[in-house]
Structure formats: C-alpha cells, structure tokens
Amino acid sequence: MDFQAGILQDGSPMESLEKQLICPICLEMFSKPVVILPCQHNLCRKCANDVFQAANPYWPSRGSVISGGRFRCPSCRHEVLLDRHGVYGLQRNLLVENIIDIYKQECSSRPLKKGEHPMCKEHEDERINIYCVTCEVPTCSMCKVFGAHKDCEVAPLQTVFQGQKTELNNCISMLVAGNDRIQTIISQLEDSCRSTEENSEVAKRELCARFDALAAVLEEKKAELLQRITHEQGDKTGFVQGLISRYKEQLEKSSRLVETAIQAMEETGGAAFLMQGDTALLSLPRIVEASKGGRLEKIERGYESMDAFSVSLDHLTEAVRALDFEPAEEDEEYFDGEEEEAEE
C-alpha cells in the first residue's frame, strides 16, 4: 500500500474506506482489475489467480480447453467453482475500481505533512529511506554514511519492501492452498469415521444374528434330549408302577389268607380244624407258597439311574470361548510376510 494513504487521521471516514479496499491476500489496496467472487467478496485478479494456481497446481495455462478448477474464498472459505477460463472468467467489479480511482485522486491531492514519514531516531531530520541488509532493519542515509551502518550492506527500501511483500503474498497463497488440502483431509477423515460407524453397526447385527441362530440350535437340541429323558422316565416309572400294582394284589391275597388261617386256629375241635385245613383256601401248599412272597418280577440294582443320559459340554464350552473373528485376507498376507521375515 502507498504510504500516502496514511496521511488521513485515525478514525476518519476515508480511513474506514481504505480498510474496505484492502485485498485479504496481498494486504494492499485492490489493484486493477478487481474480480468479484460468487460470495460477493473481492480479490485482485493476480491474487485470485495465485490462490487458484496454488489450489490447482496442474491446471494448464490460459487458453487450453479443459474443465475449470476450484478454490476457496480466503475471506469466508466459500468454495468458488471456475469454468475453463479460470480466474479470467470471473466478473470484474467496476464499482470498486472506480472507488479506488477516486480514493487515490483524493489522497494525491492532499499535501504531505512533516512527520508523516518515519524519521530516523539518530538523525531526526532524516527519513528512513534505505534498508540495512546486514542488520535487517530500516535506516537512513546518514546512518549509512556516518552512523552505525556505515560498514553494512544496504539496499533500496522500496526494493526490499516489494520483495518481502511478494514473498508474503506467496506464503499466503500457499497457506490458503494448504488449508484447502487440510479441509479435504478432514472431510475424508469424517467420511471414514461415518463409514466405520455404519460398518460397525452392520457387523454387530450380523454377529447377533449368528449367535441367535446358534442359541436356537442349542435350544432345539436341548428340547430333543429332554424329550428322550422324559420318554425313558415314562418307560421306567410305568414298569415300576406295574410291579407295585402286582405286589399290592399279592399282598391283599396274602392278608386274606392270614385272616382265614387265624380264624382256623381258633377252632378247638380237631375234626372241624382238619376239615377246614383240607379246603382249597387253607391248603398247606398254598400257604407255604404265599409265605415265600410269590414269584413276582423284580427290578435290577441301579434300575432308577439316569446316568446314561449325561452329556458333556466341555468341548463345546471351550469351542465357544475360542470363538474369534476371522482375519481378513490382507491381514493373513501381512502375518505370512512377518513369518517369512522371521525365518530369514
């Protein structure tokens, strides 16, 4: 920016106007032609082209037939899409250009006042007009001839000023392009995060479905084995209940025989007693046979045991505990590579 713009007093309307005419890239007053972006912010065409080239390093020179590129507005980060003409396809802001012309004419018509140019602290009447390259500080001609910088290398102040401004402008362009790349990486990482969450939900649903299917198989098998145990229980208890009924019948017959025999024992007459003993009911062979408990069937020792229906699930428990996710193909190749390196 021309130092003459600083002749206005702080807080004046012209100074406020000057701040509105500063390019956000080069930090200088807009230079012709001024382009207006779709977001309504303004840039010097050169600055806009520098930002565009930094964001699109492989975009060919003007005139080539190719689809346009894109870059972000340095003021609001709005994405600007360009056609095949690149920056030259943007519309010029003639209003801002006219305002700049009027502003510069107003500034040039004002006379310079003493003290408005930076003065040397060692030589109060001397302006700072050269740059000491050795000490990297601005100074005056008297300091170079007679003062502290007489043995130093110096350069024109305006030359150093333009060089550093150009370098700063290039750095700003690189920073803007770097910010675009960082924003792209952030977007990619956010997409990756969302994809990871979605894939995790799918994997969880699949895992739950497979475990539910396994649980259903176990429930089905459990029901089958329980049915077999119930069937065996029915067979054994039915057989034992039949024996109990038969033994009860035998006990009832034996009890009646005992009662009849006791009544016979009460008979005092020999003839009458012998006559009763000769009956079929009190025949001695029958009593002897009844006293032996009959020839009913008995159950074997351990008949009530159900040990034959014991099931060992230790191997299944170990198999379930050993369940793990199957490694992907690339993981297997990676592990194989590590084993080969270890063998070497």
Side-chain angles (χ1 to χ4, degrees):
M1 185 191 309
D2 190 350
F3 71 87
Q4 289 182 349
I7 64 176
L8 300 174
Q9 296 180 358
D10 294 340
S12 65
M14 293 297 289
E15 183 179 6
S16 300
L17 176 61
E18 177 185 352
K19 292 181 180 179
Q20 299 300 321
L21 299 178
I22 298 299
C23 175
I25 299 298
C26 62
L27 303 180
E28 292 283 347
M29 186 173 296
F30 289 117
S31 62
K32 293 184 179 181
V34 181
V35 294
I36 181 170
L37 304 180
C39 56
Q40 303 304 313
H41 290 110
N42 298 290
L43 290 177
C44 304
R45 175 177 287 178
K46 180 181 182 303
C47 295
N49 189 63
D50 291 341
V51 174
F52 174 71
Q53 292 293 340
N56 303 269
Y58 300 107
W59 200 82
S61 59
R62 182 182 179 187
S64 300
V65 179
I66 189 171
S67 60
R70 63 184 65 193
F71 70 95
R72 293 186 181 274
C73 173
S75 298
C76 65
R77 308 301 301 158
H78 177 80
E79 189 175 47
V80 180
L81 300 178
L82 302 180
D83 57 15
R84 63 186 184 88
H85 299 290
V87 175
Y88 292 92
L90 293 174
Q91 183 179 0
R92 290 178 60 177
N93 195 334
L94 299 180
L95 176 60
V96 172
E97 293 181 10
N98 293 334
I99 293 174
I100 292 175
D101 292 338
I102 297 174
Y103 175 81
K104 289 183 176 180
Q105 291 176 6
E106 178 67 19
C107 291
S108 62
S109 64
R110 293 174 178 267
L112 290 175
K113 298 180 180 180
K114 183 178 181 181
E116 292 175 350
H117 192 283
M119 308 301 289
C120 179
K121 295 181 179 180
E122 299 294 332
H123 309 90
E124 297 181 355
D125 295 332
E126 293 293 329
R127 293 183 177 183
I128 294 178
N129 55 1
I130 61 174
Y131 184 82
C132 179
V133 179
T134 305
C135 301
E136 297 183 349
V137 293
T139 185
C140 70
S141 301
M142 295 298 294
C143 288
K144 169 58 181 173
V145 178
F146 304 105
H149 302 282
K150 62 181 181 179
D151 297 327
C152 299
E153 180 183 355
V154 297
L157 185 65
Q158 191 66 19
T159 301
V160 177
F161 165 74
Q162 293 297 336
Q164 291 189 2
K165 275 298 186 70
T166 301
E167 184 178 356
L168 179 60
N169 184 32
N170 294 334
C171 291
I172 292 174
S173 300
M174 289 188 294
L175 285 174
V176 171
N179 291 340
D180 290 340
R181 288 191 293 271
I182 292 175
Q183 183 62 45
T184 301
I185 294 174
I186 292 174
S187 300
Q188 292 174 350
L189 293 176
E190 290 175 348
D191 293 341
S192 177
C193 186
R194 285 192 294 269
S195 298
T196 300
E197 293 176 353
E198 294 173 358
N199 294 337
S200 298
E201 291 301 323
V202 172
K204 289 178 182 178
R205 289 195 295 270
E206 291 180 354
L207 184 64
C208 291
R210 293 180 181 180
F211 269 85
D212 291 343
L214 178 60
V217 172
L218 291 176
E219 286 294 329
E220 181 181 355
K221 193 64 178 180
K222 182 178 72 172
E224 176 187 344
L225 296 180
L226 288 175
Q227 183 65 28
R228 290 173 58 184
I229 295 175
T230 302
H231 181 71
E232 183 69 13
Q233 174 188 354
D235 290 345
K236 287 189 175 183
T237 55
F239 177 73
V240 173
Q241 290 292 342
L243 288 180
I244 291 174
S245 298
R246 293 164 60 186
Y247 272 101
K248 284 183 177 179
E249 292 176 0
Q250 180 67 27
L251 179 62
E252 184 178 357
K253 292 179 182 180
S254 177
S255 297
R256 289 198 300 268
L257 185 60
V258 170
E259 291 178 359
T260 304
I262 291 175
Q263 292 176 359
M265 289 292 293
E266 294 177 352
E267 184 64 45
T268 58
F273 175 79
L274 293 175
M275 290 177 64
Q276 292 180 1
D278 291 338
T279 62
L281 181 61
L282 293 176
S283 63
L284 290 177
R286 185 177 180 182
I287 294 175
V288 172
E289 182 66 22
S291 65
K292 294 180 181 180
R295 293 292 183 268
L296 296 177
E297 186 178 359
K298 300 179 180 179
I299 61 175
E300 300 177 355
R301 182 184 297 274
Y303 177 81
E304 66 279 0
S305 175
M306 302 294 284
D307 294 340
F309 294 92
S310 177
V311 176
S312 176
L313 299 178
D314 294 340
H315 62 291
L316 291 180
T317 302
E318 294 298 327
V320 171
R321 290 176 177 172
L323 285 177
D324 201 351
F325 299 106
E326 297 180 357
E329 296 182 358
E330 56 269 17
D331 295 337
E332 294 178 354
E333 295 177 357
Y334 175 76
F335 292 141
D336 293 342
E338 283 189 344
E339 292 177 356
E340 292 177 359
E341 292 179 359
E343 292 177 356
E344 292 178 358

